[in-house]
Amino acid sequence: MNWARRKNALQEEAPKALVAVWECESVDCLGWMRKKFSLNENPKCPLCETKMKSGERMLST
Ligand SMILES: [Zn+2]
């Protein structure tokens, strides 16, 4: 698949904070979820079922 690379659009209006997330380990997949919404210690990606790694993202809260 040929995913167009999107640059993160800077949205100045929304306040953002670093949020703990799970990120899909597959480089071809954009799957992620907020840790707050998952109680699973070893979650799988909802898109491709690859295991997920701990990470952080700047998200609007
Ligand atoms: Zn995935």
Side-chain angles (χ1 to χ4, degrees), residues 23-24 36 60:
E23 295 179 324
C24 180
K36 197 161 62 169
S60 52

Side-chain angles (χ1 to χ4, degrees), residues 6-14 16 58:
R6 287 189 207 165
K7 287 188 176 177
N8 288 333
L10 288 174
Q11 294 174 329
E12 303 287 346
E13 318 87 51
K16 300 220 168 161
M58 288 298 285

Side-chain angles (χ1 to χ4, degrees), residues 8 15-19 21 32 34 56-61:
N8 288 333
K16 300 220 168 161
L18 212 51
V19 175
V21 297
W32 64 276
R34 292 185 192 220
E56 291 177 321
R57 288 192 173 215
M58 288 298 285
L59 298 171
S60 52
T61 50

